[in-house]
Amino acid sequence: MGDDGRMHAMEDDESAAADQIRAIDIYPLSNYYFGSKEPLIFKDKTLADRVIRMKSNYAAYGLRTSVEAVLLVELFKHPHVLLLQIRNSIFNLPGGRLRPNESDIDGLKRKLSRKLSANGAPDASDWEVGDCLGTWWRPDFETLLYPHLSNNVKGAKECTKLFLVKLPENRKFIVPKNLKLIAVPLCQLHENHKMYGPVISGIPQLLSKFSFNIIET
Amino acid sequence: MGDDGRMHAMEDDESAAADQIRAIDIYPLSNYYFGSKEPLIFKDKTLADRVIRMKSNYAAYGLRTSVEAVLLVELFKHPHVLLLQIRNSIFNLPGGRLRPNESDIDGLKRKLSRKLSANGAPDASDWEVGDCLGTWWRPDFETLLYPHLSNNVKGAKECTKLFLVKLPENRKFIVPKNLKLIAVPLCQLHENHKMYGPVISGIPQLLSKFSFNIIET
């Protein structure tokens, strides 16, 4: 897994970075403009539809990878994560499934543009994709996601990767009318599995190695 | 793990893989030798003693930082985390509090030597400290730990940093007689707050951005 050259290079990076805590610049929510566009059509009406589609896709393409973005803004001097809410209930990170052979970064930019940018805007796909924060695995079609693979599982069916996406100082978010973009503070996400599920409620932990520079403008 | 799922994930990513998914080499538990040494004397007999000592230390030195190590071994083809068990109940990561002005890395090496090495052995403090995986904060003396600081908290009282510490292919662990060193699989830690607390039960998430090279020897 990975050639020798690359492995050595990584070890060098690691020792250099070992004692540093990286700071992320975050900007006030009020720096961003929020508008809306035509609704997004969802492929799956029910969970059963989703399982059927997941199975046929797995048969055709094997493991499916989803990529999701952690976008941060400041509100009340506290970091907030941007979530998309569907039908007043389900919360999702912006993102989605990769096409076959699509790279993580290209796919995430495409999905972010589709869900958060005006169609055809010049900066639609201009997103700064940073670190991979974590990976979650779905060992079988109808199971929950886990942050590890068990050794008794032959092959995972789905993999979800979370990336930190750095926002510029200003940006327009243009969101499909049937989705709501909301900002939720880290302290509300932490351990709140019931409302946000295991992936989103774990974000405060995944971000805990960073410090935040809250930029007042 | 040598698992289909993870292998595909690596291949699909070629363009982005270099800086996105890092592999950690882990070696079988049987590569390591485990011995014991004289018991460690604990400073606090009860939780109340601990709070009293924390308060007087805070008054004298301000925010106190603890550093803890995530050490990984392979068992049954699954990554396991090494934990120290005290009095058949509490589980801890190996580590402890820094001295005033001590660096994270120096302090962690000192603590690992004290808890896991033979006293005075030539390689006692030879530990390869890698990435900071996460940080936990104690906003007040008697509260739980959180992976974020709330904006209504003036100053945290304690901070705990988790570091990945890479084990060599072979090593002797010499553990105080009143502690037990045990290897617990990631799948048992995940979401098991009740037994391991929030910090240890979150380790599988913090490690989920890495892949594991299980080295058969």
Side-chain angles (χ1 to χ4, degrees), chain B residues 26 71-82 183-186:
Chain B
I26 61 174
L71 299 161
L72 297 166
V73 298
E74 176 269 342
L75 190 63
F76 309 125
K77 300 194 172 171
H78 194 69
H80 283 56
V81 178
L82 295 183
V184 183
L186 292 183

Side-chain angles (χ1 to χ4, degrees), chain B residues 17-98:
Chain B
D19 54 353
Q20 303 299 356
I21 296 192
R22 288 215 330 254
I24 302 172
D25 290 342
I26 61 174
Y27 300 94
L29 182 64
S30 57
N31 277 29
Y32 302 100
Y33 170 87
F34 297 89
S36 65
K37 62 181 181 181
E38 73 284 2
L40 209 64
I41 294 151
F42 294 108
K43 285 178 186 159
D44 310 311
K45 293 256 192 262
T46 67
L47 193 63
D49 292 345
R50 184 175 187 282
V51 171
I52 290 165
R53 200 163 58 88
M54 225 194 292
K55 282 183 182 174
S56 74
N57 277 330
Y58 184 77
Y61 307 109
L63 174 79
R64 201 75 189 274
T65 301
S66 288
V67 287
E68 302 186 346
V70 175
L71 299 161
L72 297 166
V73 298
E74 176 269 342
L75 190 63
F76 309 125
K77 300 194 172 171
H78 194 69
H80 283 56
V81 178
L82 295 183
L83 299 178
L84 285 167
Q85 194 180 15
I86 304 166
R87 299 184 203 102
N88 289 317
S89 60
I90 305 162
F91 295 93
N92 283 319
L93 290 167
R97 298 212 183 111
L98 296 181

Side-chain angles (χ1 to χ4, degrees), chain B residues 47 50-51 54 58 63-64 66 97 135-149 153 155-160 199:
Chain B
L47 193 63
R50 184 175 187 282
V51 171
M54 225 194 292
Y58 184 77
L63 174 79
R64 201 75 189 274
S66 288
R97 298 212 183 111
T135 309
W136 290 77
W137 305 90
R138 196 186 298 277
D140 216 330
F141 296 112
E142 297 176 54
T143 52
L144 292 171
L145 293 157
Y146 296 91
H148 53 80
L149 283 171
V153 172
K157 301 302 180 284
E158 267 201 337
C159 156
T160 299
V199 178

Side-chain angles (χ1 to χ4, degrees), chain A residues 1-2 6-7 10-11 14-15 17-21 63 65 75-79 98 101-106 129-137 145-151 153-156 159 161 163 186-188 190-191 193 198-199 201-210, chain B residues 1 3-10 12-13 15-23 25 75-79 103-105 128-137 145-151 161 163-164 166 186-187 190-191 193 198-199 202-209 211-213:
Chain A
M1 206 176 294
R6 203 171 73 200
M7 296 296 296
M10 283 177 205
E11 278 162 16
E14 247 166 283
S15 54
D19 209 7
Q20 291 179 336
I21 292 195
L63 174 80
T65 301
L75 189 64
F76 309 125
K77 299 194 173 170
H78 194 71
L98 297 181
N101 301 317
E102 190 177 34
S103 80
D104 292 350
I105 291 176
D106 288 349
V129 179
D131 287 20
C132 178
L133 297 172
T135 308
W136 290 78
W137 305 91
L145 293 157
Y146 296 91
H148 53 81
L149 283 169
S150 291
N151 52 331
V153 172
K154 287 256 172 64
C159 156
K161 294 184 192 172
F163 289 88
L186 291 182
C187 56
Q188 192 180 318
H190 176 55
E191 291 195 346
H193 294 225
V199 177
S201 66
I203 290 173
Q205 272 194 72
L206 298 180
L207 293 175
S208 74
K209 64 172 181 168
F210 298 105
Chain B
M1 204 159 300
D3 191 298
D4 278 338
R6 220 164 266 254
M7 295 301 291
H8 280 297
M10 295 291 289
D12 285 350
D13 274 332
S15 62
D19 54 353
Q20 303 299 356
I21 296 192
R22 288 215 330 254
D25 290 342
L75 190 63
F76 309 125
K77 300 194 172 171
H78 194 69
S103 78
D104 292 349
I105 291 176
E128 190 185 340
V129 179
D131 286 19
C132 178
L133 298 173
T135 309
W136 290 77
W137 305 90
L145 293 157
Y146 296 91
H148 53 80
L149 283 171
S150 290
N151 51 331
K161 292 185 193 172
F163 288 89
L164 186 64
K166 286 200 222 157
L186 292 183
C187 57
H190 176 56
E191 293 195 343
H193 296 223
V199 178
I203 290 173
Q205 271 193 74
L206 298 179
L207 293 175
S208 73
K209 65 172 180 168
S211 67
F212 298 103
N213 277 337

